Amino acid sequence: MTKFAYIGCRTSEWRGARGKGITVFRMNDEGHWEQIQCVPSIQDNPSWLTLDTKRNRLYALHGDGNQVAIFNRDPETGLLSLSAEQTTGPLNGHPDLETARRNNPVGAALTPDMNTLLVANHEAGNVAALPVNDTGLDKPCHFSRIEGHAVKDGAFQTLSRPHEIVFLPGSTLFAVPIQGRKAGNGIDMIRLYRWVDSKAQLFDEVHLADGSWPRHVDFHPSGKWLYGISELSSTVTAFDVDSARGSLTLKQTISTLPQGYASRSDASEVEVHPNGRFLYAANRGHDSIAIFRIDPCDGSLSPAGWVPCGGKTPRFTTLSPDGRQFYSANEDSDTIQIFDVNADTGMLTRTETTLPTASPTCICFA
C-alpha cells in the first residue's frame, strides 16, 4: 500500500521562517521518500496538521493567525486541493498580548465520532469546537475558556494558554496541556476534559510548577498513564489516569536533560512507543532525543539515554504507526531526520535518510 507523509511548516518573516507551504511525500516499502507536491501557503504558518480519514481531508492550522484551512485529499495520489477556510474564533483583546498573535491556533484533534474539530487557541485562551460539515467546517459553536489566576477588580480577564489536545484512545476523555505565561496571568497545568453532548466538560486539573509551561502530552496505550512535557523546565511529568472518574494524579517529574547540562534548552515534544515500553522527549538547545524506559507495573520513568536529533531545534517528533521508525523535524536546520527504533531497547539509530524540508513543524501520515 502506498503511504503518504504531510509536512507542516512555518513561513512568516516574523518567525524567521523559510517554509513555503505544506509538503507532500510519497513513501514506498523500501523507505524512499519522494516529494510530489508543495501546497503554497494561503496564510502564514500552516504549522499544525490533522488528518480526517473518514472524509479524506486535511485540516491545517495557521499558527499566529486565526484560521484553519480545509484540504481535500486524493487517497490514490495523496495530492491536496484547497476546499475551504474557517475562523478558529475571535481575536483576544487583552492588552498584554502581542497584537499579531491574539488567537494563535497551535493544536487540534477530531472528536471520537469525527464530527467536530477541537482547536487549542493559544493566545485566545480557549479550546474551540468547530462542527464538521459536507464542505468543510462550521464556525466555532462552543468555547471552553481557560482562565488564569484571579486578579483585582477592574483588571482585564485573565487567560491561560492551551497548547495541544490529545484524546485517550477509545475514550471521550481528552487532555490539554496549558501554559501559564505571565501575559494574562496564566496557570501552568494539565486539564482533563470529557466530550459530552457536543461540549467539553472539565473533569480535573493538576497545577504544575510556575514557569514550567506544559506543552505536549501523550497517553500510554494501556490508558493507565499520561505523560506531559514542560517547555521551560525541560521535564516530563507522569500521571495516573482514572478514566472512569476522569481524574489525574501526579506521580513523577523527571528531567529531559542529562545530569550536568547547564545551558539553555527548551523541551518540545513527547510520545510513547506503541509497545508501551518507552517514551521519547525532544530537547531544543541540547538538540537531542531523550529516551526513557516505562515501568510496566506503575508507569514510572527511568532514563535510558540521549541521542543527537541529527540537526538543530527538534520542534516536532513522531513515530511511524508501526513504531519501527522515529522522525525528528529539526526546524532550524531545515531537515527531517529518520531513525530506526530498536523495539527491545528503545534506542534510536540514525539512518542515512535526511529529508530537506524548510522550517518543519508537524508530520502526519496516511
Side-chain angles (χ1 to χ4, degrees), residues 65-85:
N66 67 334
Q67 297 286 318
V68 53
I70 302 101
F71 295 88
N72 291 325
R73 191 185 77 87
D74 187 315
E76 298 298 324
T77 67
L79 299 178
L80 301 176
S81 58
L82 181 65
S83 172
E85 299 173 63

Side-chain angles (χ1 to χ4, degrees), residues 26 60 67 87 96 122 129-130 132 182 192 200 238 242 256 269 278 295 337 363:
R26 180 188 294 117
Q67 297 286 318
T87 178
D96 291 345
H122 191 253
L130 285 71
V132 179
K182 290 183 178 179
L192 198 62
D242 186 328
T256 65
E269 187 60 271
F278 309 106
D295 188 295
Q337 179 61 50
I363 308 169

Side-chain angles (χ1 to χ4, degrees), residues 323-326 338-342 346-351:
R324 294 181 179 180
Q325 290 195 310
F326 182 94
I338 302 179
F339 297 82
D340 288 330
V341 180
N342 186 315
M347 295 307 294
L348 305 179
T349 300
R350 181 174 174 174
T351 71

Side-chain angles (χ1 to χ4, degrees), residues 91-136:
L91 300 182
N92 193 318
H94 198 292
D96 291 345
L97 302 180
E98 297 175 54
T99 303
R101 303 178 68 231
R102 290 188 171 182
N103 185 288
N104 190 22
V106 295
L110 285 161
T111 55
D113 61 10
M114 303 190 78
N115 289 332
T116 306
L117 184 72
L118 301 183
V119 177
N121 287 314
H122 191 253
E123 299 295 308
N126 64 56
V127 173
L130 285 71
V132 179
N133 62 40
D134 291 340
T135 59

Side-chain angles (χ1 to χ4, degrees), residues 14 77 124 129 141 161 192 204 220 232 241 247 270 282 294 303 347 353:
W14 186 80
T77 67
C141 66
R161 293 167 171 75
L192 198 62
D204 201 5
H220 191 270
L232 292 194
V241 179
S247 64
V270 64
I294 299 175
M347 295 307 294
T353 304

Side-chain angles (χ1 to χ4, degrees), residues 4 6 27 33 65 140 167 181 220 231 238 263 278 325 338 359:
F4 301 97
Y6 299 86
M27 307 156 62
W33 291 49
F167 275 87
R181 303 197 181 202
H220 191 270
E231 186 171 343
S263 299
F278 309 106
Q325 290 195 310
I338 302 179
S359 304

Side-chain angles (χ1 to χ4, degrees), residues 122 125-127 144-150 158-165 174-181 184-193 202-217 226-231 233 237 239 248 250:
H122 191 253
N126 64 56
V127 173
S144 299
R145 302 191 183 278
I146 305 170
E147 296 184 356
H149 293 285
T158 61
L159 71 148
S160 302
R161 293 167 171 75
H163 207 284
E164 192 182 29
I165 299 161
F174 64 93
V176 180
I178 296 163
Q179 298 188 330
R181 303 197 181 202
N185 203 25
I187 300 171
D188 291 289
M189 57 185 165
I190 306 287
R191 277 189 168 183
L192 198 62
Y193 292 87
L202 177 63
F203 270 68
D204 201 5
E205 67 181 31
V206 178
H207 290 200
L208 301 183
D210 289 345
S212 56
W213 290 17
R215 180 178 175 87
H216 283 170
V217 293
L226 175 72
Y227 301 95
I229 195 163
S230 292
E231 186 171 343
S233 62
T237 303
F239 302 84
L248 294 174
L250 192 156

